């Protein structure tokens, strides 16, 4: 049996988390108020804005919460003996990263006038962490995952500020700022953490039909609520309506294309559960940069189909290639679900800008708000900034993760809930009063 | 070992789906735009209507998506070794049928000004397919299921046009147009497909406590969101409020009655998981035709109780009778959940019309918008049209499904995920570093 | 094999439930109408209020339904062989208690003008039953659970009227009226039912990794929608916005603190699944009495952290102590999740009142609507009333539950679905046409 990590490493998790909660509390006590008319009532006119938008924003916020806590958690539970850890770590990282992003936003503005919009923005920052750690799922300790969160959130906020505020990139659904960024950050972490060592397939990595079923339920939850994710930051009215329609069409076309492609790529025309779990969502990743733009319904369908195709080709050919050539370890295939469709969506947004420039006005005037040629350039520049910056910072973070004090799990205990959870021993022998029926039942359970 | 279908059959699925996606893309490129003020701005006044209704419609739309993709999928996962297939086929059919219905609606109107309302209407068309295939779940190939979708959606659209637009039948929750139609279409398919051959109980058909648990979760998701399903097409205001209350009351009374009836019908006073999974929802099926009418809360309770009772009596007596006498195969018992409660609801709507006619004005004027006697006749006529038309077209569709090129699964491989999915082989021997604890765990998993 | 209960006991369940449905139907037929402008239109001006608030209330109502039917049901499914029963009994009690509360409200007012608000209020009454029975989960028959529902709902309605209407206690999220009340009612039931007899750990009580996973999914569903639960009864606008923010912050801080505390309390720094399932929610319990008050974001964080800490300390030290000293049986640990955090929240609300009195005006005037000192007293008085009244009435109810006619399950059949459900026998021998692959699969399932 592999030796467990020393006691000191075991203490690092509660210690660091406890310190973080204390610091957060202190910061909130000093700088945070509600975004509402204060007693002094100096901003009476726009003071109630946050509360006014509540009926239209709150249902979307709840949808997104379901996606992140339940949908993504279940999708990560495809490892049959690591489901509890996947769900729990995802939940912990969601909370820590959201709080950390709120704190950093407050630091940047000198104070925090907290509204639901701020929480939503902080959750988008947390999404990048949840995606990135998919690359190293099952081979990392909670302390290592927390280190990723603490490093990634500030870089994301800087990257998002640079890409959206400075370059003026259009990206309502986070194709570039969230998905591309998170993917290459995660790959950078994985590369720097695992180095050039090639890991053989671990006996506990293989999904069972049951764990695949739960992961598929997670996919379906993400699939259903993806339009809410894209629509939440949109302007109300036509733009939001378009965002919902475009996202729905891309996801729906992507789901059908996934079946087509998986059936062609697998031997005997069967489907691969993993393909279905990931490919069905690729359309949502790609459409983000374009969702609120009137690109026509047909373009949404085409982009959704294409991104699912790219995603599955990535799983079939690129992931094994990268593993062989670069010893790149990508446990959940985030490169195929977030990287490739994200790049595709970013390029598509640049092309859409150019096309809308060429034919004079586009479907509804000049939706990009400035000259098409220059805007196309900014879209590509934003992609380059997000990709390059995330890869570099991810590798630095991965180097930090090699610190022995972060207690990386020993290889034989990877993908194993018992490393992180106290699993109670079962009464092995048939209990008192067990009938034959009950014993048979016990074997099925 | 049964011989797998030949390679050509394996190719039919991606080929037909790929062609469908291509045709859909072409049609959308030529005829589809968004439902919003165009650049020409000729319909400025009502151009923004779709977007204006978004805050009240979109949450209901998302609820319905959860029902169809997650709730119904889990309910169908009661077959213990067919869960992945049930969930995935349900998801595929949802997408294909919705797209197909959008295309057909566009063909009918010459063009498609796409709004969320259209997507919702197309999803209602898809629901009929998802219900119908329940009759043949586990004994059909994906190609056969696609054939059902391609045949059923146009017939549904025609039937819905005839019943609602031409006959003026009131049916806001789809009791007649969706549930009755889908049920008898599915039974027609089953009868024509399996002929007079009686199938013995398959050893893999029996649910386990675990698959029953997941199916019950699916039932609960459907139960929770059923009011959204009925309320979405309603007029905002009092009608929608009534629809929500009536549906809730019918579902709640139905759930309690299900426990009463199941406990009486089963030996030893125990409950049957299958009764609970289906009976709890029967009230929602029956209330649809009446939901927005002020029938009084007591009538909703009574209708809910009665339909759950009818549903369970169907499971206990009618299904075995039909299987024995007509060799009718109904895997999920759709006749009990959708057929009988649907007929009950349609008859109840006719009776309610007559009663509101008799006592002069009804609770709130003449809610049916025309003379009660004649409207009662139309309700019954609508039921007859939906039932007869669906049975006939379903049998024709079932005859199509007998084509060998659709690759029906061989009997021994029915109810088996490995027919449709590449199930990875597990590492059989205990892996390196396995401790006694881990081996014990592995056996539980 | 233990002898099953006699046939007469088996009949009590359908008999009592059937009678209840009949009485409900009769009452509704005589006294219930919709809350809307009647044909006579005498209340034209405020007649449509219920329908007008629908777009903002209905999404919250659906969220709460998901919490109660799906989230809480799954959380209770942590007993590996009792999942079906836990889910089904929870669902039955939800429906019966809601209907019973509607009936009692109608009796009190002489008639029932039914609106969605009334259903919501009735569901809050049902929540208390669902919480209370957690203390005796797995060791009670359905008849006993129904007896709890029939006794608890009227007492809750009286207690809620006394605490909120008469004493003027502020408790928008039900910290005192729901959580504290339900907890001590349940503990009273448990104490009176099981007496001084100490039950040894039952071999079927131990969760498996799989049942823990499902229970964690239930926790996450409750965690996500908790802000809806607290916000639904709030005034629209700033108060609701604050309630959402405060609840989110308390839950998020509580989730992180749970990991810290569980890691410190368990040997080897591992986490306990049970801690995670319960501690993550404690913040939501405690914040209820304060959620709509501008207590500052920092206070919400602190209260959330503290209540999770108290919850886990309760699991680690208090529950074993009470079991040893008082032979108090608390299967789900409701004292730790609802009792201790509820008391903490009530005391915190009194302190907040005092503090807002001391510094003159509070953050936004005098949010409590009356002098702080007196209101603080009322908060504590409300806590005492809810706690004392529920403990006493719970013990009386527990005495009723000892009636042999309620068919308590024999000890060896506790925690066993087969007591309540007809579990179909599996085909034990490998079926026809089984290949080696299939047999291997069957063993995994």
């Amino acid at each position: 049996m592999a030796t467990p990590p020393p006691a000191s490493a075991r203490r690092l998790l509660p210690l660091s988390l406890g310190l973080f909660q204390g610091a957060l509390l202190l910061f909130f006590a000093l700088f945070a108020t509600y975004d509402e008319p204060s007693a002094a009532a100096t901003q009476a006119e726009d003071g109630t804005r946050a509360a006014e938008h509540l009926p239209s924003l709150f249902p979307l916020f709840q949808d997104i919460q379901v996606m992140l806590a339940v949908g993504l958690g279940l999708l990560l539970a495809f490892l049959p003996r690591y489901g509890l850890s996947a769900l729990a770590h995802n939940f912990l990282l969601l909370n820590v990263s959201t709080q950390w992003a709120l704190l950093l936003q407050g630091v940047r503005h000198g104070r925090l006038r907290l509204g639901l919009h701020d929480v939503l923005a902080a959750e988008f920052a947390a999404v990048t962490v949840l995606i990135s750690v998919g690359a190293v799922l099952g081979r990392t300790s909670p302390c290592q995952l927390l280190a990723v969160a603490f490093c990634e959130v500030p870089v994301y906020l800087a990257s998002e500020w640079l890409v959206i505020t400075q370059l003026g990139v259009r990206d309502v659904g986070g194709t570039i700022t969230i998905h591309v960024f998170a993917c290459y950050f995660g790959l950078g972490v994985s590369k720097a953490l695992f180095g050039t060592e090639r890991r053989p397939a671990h006996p506990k990595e293989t999904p069972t039909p049951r764990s695949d079923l739960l992961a598929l339920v997670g996919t379906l939850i993400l699939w259903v609520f993806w339009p809410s994710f894209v629509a939440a930051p949109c302007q109300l009215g036509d733009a939001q309506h378009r965002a919902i329609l475009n996202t729905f069409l891309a996801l729906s076309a992507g789901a059908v294309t996934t079946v087509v492609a998986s059936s062609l790529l697998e031997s005997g025309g069967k489907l691969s559960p993993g393909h279905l779990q990931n490919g069905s969502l690729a359309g949502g990743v790609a459409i983000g940069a374009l969702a609120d733009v009137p690109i026509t319904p047909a373009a949404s369908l085409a982009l959704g189909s294409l991104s699912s195709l790219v995603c599955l080709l990535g799983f079939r050919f690129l992931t094994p290639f990268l593993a062989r050539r670069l010893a790149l370890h990508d446990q959940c295939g985030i490169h195929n679900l977030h990287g490739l469709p994200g790049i595709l969506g970013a390029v598509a947004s640049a092309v859409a800008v150019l096309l809308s420039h060429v034919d004079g006005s586009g479907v509804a005037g000049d939706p990009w708000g400035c000259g098409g040629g220059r805007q196309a350039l900014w879209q590509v520049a934003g992609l380059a900034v997000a990709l390059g910056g995330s890869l570099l910072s991810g590798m630095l973070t991965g180097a930090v993760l090699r610190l022995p004090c972060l207690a990386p799990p020993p290889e034989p205990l990877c993908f194993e809930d018992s490393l992180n959870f106290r699993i109670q021993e079962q009464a092995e022998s048939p209990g008192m009063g067990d009938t034959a029926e009950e014993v048979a039942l016990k074997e099925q359970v």
Side-chain angles (χ1 to χ4, degrees), chain A:
Chain A
M1 186 182 176
T3 51
S8 63
R10 287 293 186 187
R11 298 269 161 73
L12 186 62
L13 177 69
L15 197 70
S16 57
L17 270 182
L19 277 176
F20 171 70
Q21 282 294 285
L24 183 85
L25 194 55
L26 191 67
F27 178 84
F28 267 66
L30 294 176
F31 300 111
T33 58
Y34 304 102
D35 178 23
E36 62 185 35
S38 67
T42 49
Q43 301 115 321
E45 276 168 45
D46 69 341
T48 51
R49 286 191 58 201
E52 267 168 29
H53 291 312
L54 207 57
S56 55
L57 182 61
F58 186 55
L60 303 183
F61 176 76
Q62 293 290 72
D63 289 353
I64 295 170
Q65 291 266 81
V66 174
M67 288 175 78
L68 302 185
V70 185
L72 189 52
L74 284 176
L75 177 55
L76 296 176
F78 70 94
L79 293 170
R81 302 175 67 178
Y82 202 67
L84 269 178
S85 302
L87 216 56
H89 290 165
N90 182 67
F91 182 53
L92 176 64
L93 288 177
L94 171 63
N95 281 291
V96 168
S97 306
T98 304
Q99 295 172 12
W100 180 223
L102 282 175
L103 196 157
L104 289 171
Q105 284 174 341
V107 167
R108 188 177 138 213
H109 296 107
R111 66 174 304 166
L112 191 58
R113 287 173 54 83
L114 195 66
L116 197 60
H117 276 98
D118 303 294
V119 180
L120 191 63
E123 297 224 319
F124 285 151
V127 172
T128 61
V129 178
L130 305 183
I131 293 173
S132 294
V133 298
V136 294
L137 178 76
R139 292 187 187 271
T140 34
S141 70
C143 287
Q144 289 180 307
L145 297 177
L146 285 179
V148 172
F150 287 125
C151 295
E152 182 165 6
V153 170
V155 182
Y156 161 78
L157 291 176
S159 158
E160 199 255 356
W161 172 81
L162 197 59
V163 170
I164 302 295
T165 313
Q166 294 308 102
L167 297 183
V169 168
R170 291 284 298 252
D171 188 15
V172 73
T175 297
I176 299 167
T177 52
I178 295 178
H179 293 286
V180 168
F181 177 88
C183 166
Y184 289 96
F185 193 97
L187 294 184
V189 167
S190 174
K191 183 65 200 157
L193 174 58
F194 297 129
T196 55
E197 176 194 0
R198 270 179 225 157
R199 306 267 172 148
H202 196 287
K204 293 167 198 159
E205 280 184 86
T206 315
T208 60
R210 182 157 42 78
S211 69
D212 267 333
L213 181 65
L214 282 185
L216 188 54
V217 172
T219 293
L220 293 175
I221 292 174
L222 290 168
W223 187 89
V224 162
F225 291 118
W226 207 289
S228 300
F229 185 86
V230 173
C234 282
Q235 270 201 300
L236 297 184
D238 283 326
Q240 195 178 48
H241 189 219
R242 265 197 308 268
I244 290 169
L245 292 175
N246 284 337
T247 309
F248 175 82
L249 291 172
L251 285 165
S252 190
V256 174
T257 302
T258 297
V259 174
V260 174
S262 182
S263 175
L264 289 173
L265 291 173
E266 287 292 333
S267 64
K270 295 185 180 185
L271 303 180
S272 150
H275 287 174
L276 215 56
Q277 289 151 10
N278 290 279
S280 311
L281 301 173
V285 172
I287 199 73
L290 289 156
D292 59 341
V293 180
I295 51 170
T296 78
S300 304
L301 288 172
L303 186 59
S305 277
L306 201 57
S307 48
S308 290
L309 185 64
V310 164
C311 171
L312 262 60
L313 290 174
F315 270 106
R316 183 72 178 77
F317 300 110
L318 194 57
T319 296
F321 176 81
L322 293 177
R324 233 180 308 119
R325 281 302 181 83
L326 303 182
L328 186 66
H329 181 77
D330 180 5
Q331 189 68 37
C332 298
I334 60 170
H335 192 228
N336 308 311
L337 176 49
H338 302 277
L340 298 177
I343 293 175
L344 180 69
V347 171
S349 75
V351 171
V353 169
L354 276 180
L355 290 180
S356 79
H357 191 62
V358 166
D359 64 7
S361 66
V363 178
D366 182 353
W368 301 94
C370 77
R374 180 175 293 179
Q375 181 64 35
L377 209 66
W378 293 141
Q379 299 293 117
V380 174
L383 173 65
V385 167
L387 200 156
S390 63
L391 197 56
L392 192 69
S393 52
M395 292 187 77
L396 289 174
T397 303
V400 172
L401 260 59
R402 300 186 75 126
L403 292 175
C405 69
L406 294 175
E411 178 73 11
L413 290 180
C414 285
F415 309 114
E416 186 63 65
D417 273 335
S418 63
L419 182 69
N420 299 307
F421 282 93
R422 190 173 59 91
I423 308 290
Q424 292 177 46
E425 277 169 37
Q426 297 294 309
E428 290 300 332
S429 57
M432 51 177 170
D434 263 9
T435 62
E437 188 194 53
E438 291 179 54
V439 171
L441 253 175
K442 189 174 283 179
E443 284 165 14
Q444 293 158 27
V445 171

